[in-house]
Structure formats: structure tokens, C-alpha cells
Amino acid sequence: MSTGIYDIAVIGGGIVGLSVARALTFRLPGLRLVVIEKEAGLACHQSGHNSGVIHSGIYYKPGSIKAQTCVSGSNAMIRFCQEHGVPHRICGKVIVASEPQELPRLEELRRRGEANGLTGLRMLEREDLREIEPHCAGLRALHVPQAGITDYVAVTEKYAQLTLSQGGEIYTSCRVRSLTVNNAELAVETDARVFKTRFAINCAGLHSDRISRMAGNKPQIRIVPFRGEYYHLVPERRDLVRTLIYPVPDARFPFLGVHFTTRICGSVEAGPNAIFALKREGYHKGDFNLRDVLSEFTYPDVWRMAAKYWRTGLHEMLRSWNKKAFVKSLQKLVPEIQDSDLIPGGSGVRAQAMRPDGSLVDDFQFDAGPRMLDVLNVPSPAATASISIGEIIADMATKNFGLQRQRNQLAPLTRPISATCD
């Protein structure tokens, strides 16, 4: 165990936090780095509750951080999986227009994809679509050959192994209770011990805004949790879906709509919807946390968004409580799907940043201060883009914290340690 002051503490043991730790420990040998995670294991929230898709980057505005990191990160993720034996498959996806008004948006996605550097994109007529997905229906579809699937928990665990191999330390079961900042160091007080560090990187996901405020920062966003619920196709009906089948998304929201996803384990998921969660880690309909509810519904931006999009919100709630409504949405893509083909699956909670005017932050957002770097908005496709995001944050930290100047002064640890605060 390191007995002195750490150079960097990374708060959050999800895929982004571990990617940052991996990038920094490889870039700066001898860096005294610690990852602090509140759960008993790694990748317990967004990183372990997603569909495992390796996104291509087709959805995102050209020039945005999302677009740049997703395209480069997708290629890097595939190479990483190949090099480290992480299960993955490049299966491609189809984005399907079911109604005439969706056709211009489908064409816009093609233009975005090409602007972002994707190759091999192909518009499909109905007959061509049936060759790829025989049970799928639509007026037209866009084939994206680069999309794939993997296991992001396995990826996160590999990042952790590589971080440890470079002398980093990882502590689990360490919930951050307070952050005290002075000119020389930060004191990160957890349930079991206090970590003293020169600098900190906040990768706390669903709690990133709260961690930022603990340190005295004033982020101009608030995290609002959206729960996404999934169904699984029963095993005997998995042959209805071969690859990934997506609808044309509503451009007003950073969500992709209910879709079908083949999983690396062989199952097929259908979903998710997107509804306000009444708890930041509210994976079940009955989950409720008074602090989280007050945080959401006493924030004016939530009401501004609700007033503007209440019809969409009601539709999402209907799909949450009424299976037939969920099935009806899925039938736009695969008409043969019936109620009996679906069994309840898991769910995830998306940490979505919201501005004071009620708008949702679409792009990734990082805020750098003299002692702390806040990673405030990294929802999907953060898992796909995690290697590229890790490098960007490592660049920011190196520059902002002056780590290059300190590189030759950093004392190496005698041995890496992975431990639990208990």
C-alpha cells in the first residue's frame, strides 16, 4: 500500500475511470495513481448495464467529441479485444425507416456517417434488407457494416489488470463521503479511509455532479437518471434477429429508440425505453430515493423539459407499464414479434446531463480545474469510445496538472495493490 500522497486519484471504477487509469499509468511510468470505487466490484452501473454494442459513430454530429471518439474508439476497441482475447463480433447493423417522414432523417444519418469517415454504408430497399434480416420490415434501411458487439465488463476488468500491472492501485467498497481541497492536496474521505492526492479525476458517472460539488466546483449541469428497460427474446425465437436492428432515432433526444441487439452470449435483447428514474441507481420500477427525487423535481430544467416533451414522456411510461405497447413499437421493426416471444430482461440507468434551460447535453463534457478534472457527461457511446476518451482525459490531466514536468520526479511504487476498503 502506498503510504504517502498519491499523484492522481480517479474516482469511479467504471469503464471510463479504468480507461483513464490505464492511459495515465502507461503514459507516466511511476505515477502514483489510485482508483476509488464505491461498489464491491468494477463496472457495476452503466458499464455493466448496457447492450454491449460497439457503435460505429454514425449518429453523432460531425466534429463533435462523440463523433471523433466513437469512430476512433470503435477501431481501437476492436483491436483491444483482438489483442487481449475479449469476446467480440463485428456483425453490422441496419437502421430502419418504417414511415415516410423518417426517410430524410435516414439519409441525413448516411451523410453524417460518411462525414465521420465510415465506409461501406449502403442504402437498402426492402428486398436487400430481407437478405440481411429476413424478418425485418421497413420502407428502406441503412446498412452499417462496422457495428459489432462485445462484453464491456470483461473490457473494464482488462483495463483494471493493465492498470495494476503498471503500478496503479484499485480500491473497491470505498464510497466517497467528502472532498477537501487545499493548495497542496485533496483529501478524499471514504467509508473506510482517507486518500490524500495531489490531483483528482472525477469519473463517478451517475454521481459525477455531486462529486464535483463536494470539491467546491460549480458544474453548470445536473445529472438526471433515465432508466432503460429491456426484454429478452425467448430462445426458440432468437432466429428472428441476426444482427442489430435499430429504428431511425428522434433527433430531439440523445436516445436511439427501442431496438434489437444480439448479445455476445447468444441472447437477443429488445429495448430500451427511456423514462425518468426515481433513484440514480433505480434499476427497478419500484426503486425510490427521496434525495434523488428532490434533486430532480426541484430543478427548474426538469420541469421545462417535461412541459416541452410531455407527450413523449407519457409514451415512454406507457411502454414501461404496458407490455403490449412495448411490443407494438418492436413490431414496426419485426412484425412477427408477439407478446409471448418476450420475457423480462434487465435494465440500465443512463447518467444524462441536463442544462438549466431543460435541454439535454448531447456531446461529452469535461471540465478541468487546477486540482480536479470533472467528467460530467459520458453516456453512450462512452463504452465504445472508452479508449479514445481515456486518452483525451489523460491529455487534459497531463497538461492541466503539469504531470509531464513532474514525470522524472515521481517515485515508483514497490508493488501494485488491488484491495478492498473494509
Side-chain angles (χ1 to χ4, degrees), residues 34-46:
V34 62
V35 177
I36 305 168
E37 166 56 39
K38 74 181 183 68
E39 304 294 353
L42 305 175
C44 290
H45 293 292
Q46 292 180 105

Side-chain angles (χ1 to χ4, degrees), residues 190-201:
T190 73
D191 291 331
R193 60 167 287 191
V194 176
F195 296 87
K196 293 186 177 181
T197 179
R198 292 186 177 91
F199 308 103
I201 301 177

Side-chain angles (χ1 to χ4, degrees), residues 9-21:
V10 177
I11 301 172
I15 197 168
V16 172
L18 268 301
S19 179
V20 171

Side-chain angles (χ1 to χ4, degrees), residues 238-316:
R238 290 174 182 171
D239 60 352
L240 291 175
V241 179
R242 290 180 174 179
T243 60
L244 312 175
I245 306 175
Y246 281 68
V248 177
D250 187 333
R252 297 173 298 170
F253 305 104
F255 310 112
L256 300 180
V258 294
H259 50 269
F260 292 94
T261 307
T262 56
R263 299 299 303 264
I264 201 69
C265 61
S267 63
V268 178
E269 278 187 341
N273 55 358
I275 61 174
F276 278 124
L278 299 181
K279 183 179 179 182
R280 291 208 180 188
E281 296 164 10
Y283 296 103
H284 305 97
K285 287 184 175 71
D287 287 346
F288 178 89
N289 180 281
L290 182 60
R291 179 191 180 193
D292 293 344
V293 170
L294 291 175
S295 175
E296 287 181 46
F297 292 103
T298 59
Y299 197 43
D301 57 357
V302 171
W303 292 105
R304 293 188 183 103
M305 180 183 178
K308 190 173 183 180
Y309 298 117
W310 63 271
R311 288 186 178 86
T312 301
L314 284 177
H315 180 62
E316 293 294 326

Side-chain angles (χ1 to χ4, degrees), residues 15 31 37 70 72 102 136 145 187 217-218 221 241 246 263 274 309 342 349 351 392 398 405 409:
I15 197 168
L31 184 74
E37 166 56 39
C70 188
S72 64
E102 294 175 341
C136 184
N217 300 328
K218 297 180 179 180
I221 57 91
V241 179
Y246 281 68
R263 299 299 303 264
Y309 298 117
L342 301 172
V349 180
I392 286 176
T398 300
R405 292 191 297 275
Q409 303 170 23

